[in-house]
Amino acid sequence: MDTLLMTGFPGFLGSALLPRLLARRDGSRAVCLVQAQHLATAQERVAELERDHPHVRDRVDLVVGDITTADLGLDEAARAALDDVTELWHLAAVYDLAVPPEVAHRVNVDGTAHVLDFCQALPRLDRLQYVSTCYVSGRYDGEFGEDVLDQGQPFRNHYESTKFVAEQLVRDAMAGGLRATIYRPGIVVGDS
């Protein structure tokens, strides 16, 4: 059975995306990497998703971990249980501009580096799905295409600069053979 691994759950984007992904992958299951302090919220969110989307029922597992640590903070048993992961969705990031720059760097840059290292250890991984941001363009003046990244652009804040560095890490991994897709959403809003 194929498994997708997701970081950033139970955040807004992960909670909205998870039922859609499972609807498209009959027979697959999802494992969501959740920080210990968000486990109760994640359990509640899974219960809500199972209630609102019956196809999700019994297809989501939560595992406690942390992208800011090596091996995503997983013990050996939890790590071994993920050998069937074929797709990794990396959504976790710090978007809050009120956090100190060091925190943003630890989550956005170091966290992405740890996810990339983890990808190398997954024997069945087919693709990394990485959520970046359109703000990697910083204060670039002109058209900034999807294949463009480093144009010497200045950045307005540490969110933009750390996501820029993180996307560069992903692009470097892609140049080394990692199959990945990079998404650059602008502003993510909900729906009713």
Side-chain angles (χ1 to χ4, degrees), residues 34-87:
V34 179
Q35 290 180 307
Q37 69 263 31
H38 299 297
L39 184 58
T41 302
Q43 290 167 333
E44 291 170 8
R45 187 69 41 85
V46 169
E48 291 170 9
L49 291 175
E50 288 179 339
R51 182 189 67 238
D52 296 342
H53 306 277
H55 69 276
V56 172
R57 200 165 287 128
D58 299 322
R59 294 178 64 195
V60 178
D61 297 315
L62 302 175
V63 62
V64 174
D66 186 344
I67 65 167
T68 67
T69 62
D71 296 322
L72 307 184
L74 298 171
D75 63 32
E76 198 171 309
R79 166 57 199 92
L82 297 176
D83 278 346
D84 59 346
V85 168
T86 55
E87 187 173 31

Side-chain angles (χ1 to χ4, degrees), residues 23-165:
R24 295 180 183 173
R25 292 161 175 81
D26 192 36
S28 293
R29 68 182 188 99
V31 176
C32 298
L33 184 75
V34 179
Q35 290 180 307
Q37 69 263 31
H38 299 297
L39 184 58
T41 302
Q43 290 167 333
E44 291 170 8
R45 187 69 41 85
V46 169
E48 291 170 9
L49 291 175
E50 288 179 339
R51 182 189 67 238
D52 296 342
H53 306 277
H55 69 276
V56 172
R57 200 165 287 128
D58 299 322
R59 294 178 64 195
V60 178
D61 297 315
L62 302 175
V63 62
V64 174
D66 186 344
I67 65 167
T68 67
T69 62
D71 296 322
L72 307 184
L74 298 171
D75 63 32
E76 198 171 309
R79 166 57 199 92
L82 297 176
D83 278 346
D84 59 346
V85 168
T86 55
E87 187 173 31
L88 195 155
W89 285 80
H90 181 37
L91 312 174
V94 167
Y95 305 98
D96 186 353
L97 296 178
V99 302
E102 301 79 30
V103 173
H105 189 277
R106 188 170 62 244
V107 175
N108 296 347
V109 177
D110 297 343
T112 298
H114 291 206
V115 167
L116 291 169
D117 288 344
F118 196 76
C119 286
Q120 298 303 318
L122 294 171
R124 295 189 58 218
L125 185 70
D126 183 52
R127 180 162 299 273
L128 168 67
Q129 307 284 357
Y130 174 70
V131 177
S132 183
T133 177
C134 69
Y135 295 105
V136 296
S137 62
R139 293 185 359 204
Y140 181 78
D141 186 24
E143 187 174 318
F144 198 85
E146 65 186 36
D147 292 328
V148 173
L149 182 60
D150 191 352
Q151 298 297 301
Q153 65 270 36
F155 298 102
R156 292 176 188 86
N157 53 57
H158 55 271
Y159 170 66
E160 293 178 354
S161 64
T162 58
K163 290 296 283 183
F164 166 86
V165 173

